[in-house]
Amino acid sequence: MIQLLFRTRYKMSLNIYFCGSIHGGRQDANLYARIIKQLQEYGEVLTEHVGKVEIEKEAEKLDAKFIHDRDIDWLETSNVVVAEVTQPSLGVGYEIGRAVAMKKKILCLYRPTNPGKKLSCMIRGAHDGDSIKVFDYKEEELPKIFKDYFAAL
Ligand SMILES: O=c1[nH]c(=O)n([C@H]2C[C@H](O)[C@@H](COP(=O)(O)O)O2)cc1CO
C-alpha cells in the first residue's frame, strides 16, 4: 500500500528524461524499451521515443535543430535524467553534460559485458554518489536499482 502511494505520488510529479543511443548505434534499443517501461512506474518518461524501433525513420523526417531544441526543453523540465551509457553515443554524452550544467539528478547505467570496452572516464568520473550516480549493472538488477534510487530521491 505504501509502495502504491509512493508510485502514485511520483507518477504525478516526476519528469524523467531517458537517454539512450540513437545514431550512435541501436544495438540496445529493445533494452531501452524495457528500461523505459520500468521507469514509467516512477514518473512520466519524456523521451519514450528512444526505445522505439522505428525512431531512426521518424528522426529522418525531423530537422536536427528541432530535435535538439525539443530535447533541451525536455531536459530543462525534467527532474531526473536516467542514461543507459553502454553503447557510446555523442548525443547521450552531450545530454549528460548539459544535465550536469543544469544541476539535474542523474543516474547513469553501464553494462560491463565486454572486457575490451571501458566506460568513458568523463562519465564514470562524474559520479559523486549524490546528484550524479554511475552504476555498473545487469538487467535483472534494474528493478531493485530503480526502487532504491527513486525512494532515495
Ligand atoms: O532523433 C533523435 N532524437 C533524439 O531524441 N535524440 C537524443 C535522445 C537520445 O538520448 C540521444 C541519442 O543521441 P545519438 O543520436 O547521438 O546517439 O539524443 C537523438 C536523435 C538522433 O541523433
Side-chain angles (χ1 to χ4, degrees):
M1 185 62 185
I2 288 169
Q3 201 180 13
L4 184 68
L5 284 172
F6 171 81
R7 285 182 175 176
T8 308
R9 186 161 86 91
Y10 279 105
K11 223 170 210 174
M12 286 163 65
S13 61
L14 266 195
N15 282 335
I16 304 169
Y17 189 105
F18 175 75
C19 315
S21 171
I22 297 178
H23 286 176
R26 294 295 283 164
Q27 296 87 328
D28 288 340
N30 292 331
L31 171 66
Y32 301 156
R34 295 193 293 276
I35 291 175
I36 288 166
K37 202 165 170 218
Q38 291 190 48
L39 291 174
Q40 285 168 333
E41 294 291 313
Y42 297 95
E44 186 185 351
V45 179
L46 304 172
T47 51
E48 196 180 4
H49 63 281
V50 175
K52 299 240 162 87
V53 184
E54 63 282 8
I55 178 63
E56 279 183 293
K57 278 195 200 127
E58 278 175 31
E60 276 168 28
K61 292 184 216 145
L62 298 172
D63 178 56
K65 181 161 177 53
F66 170 85
I67 291 174
H68 172 274
D69 293 355
R70 177 201 64 189
D71 287 8
I72 295 301
D73 282 349
W74 278 338
L75 201 53
E76 269 165 357
T77 63
S78 69
N79 308 103
V80 185
V81 176
V82 178
E84 213 295 347
V85 294
T86 310
Q87 176 60 38
S89 150
L90 284 173
V92 171
Y94 175 79
E95 289 167 331
I96 292 169
R98 293 291 302 256
V100 170
M102 291 177 198
K103 301 194 187 318
K104 298 291 177 185
K105 295 264 181 197
I106 303 167
L107 171 63
C108 294
L109 297 167
Y110 179 75
R111 297 185 332 282
T113 44
N114 183 342
K117 277 177 119 188
K118 275 189 175 172
L119 177 59
S120 166
C121 294
M122 298 310 288
I123 301 299
R124 192 174 297 284
H127 174 93
D128 63 9
D130 181 19
S131 325
I132 308 172
K133 293 185 177 166
V134 183
F135 293 147
D136 288 345
Y137 80 102
K138 295 191 187 102
E139 186 176 356
E140 59 268 27
E141 295 167 348
L142 284 175
K144 180 161 172 20
I145 289 172
F146 289 142
K147 190 168 170 247
D148 293 348
Y149 181 78
F150 286 102
L153 268 188

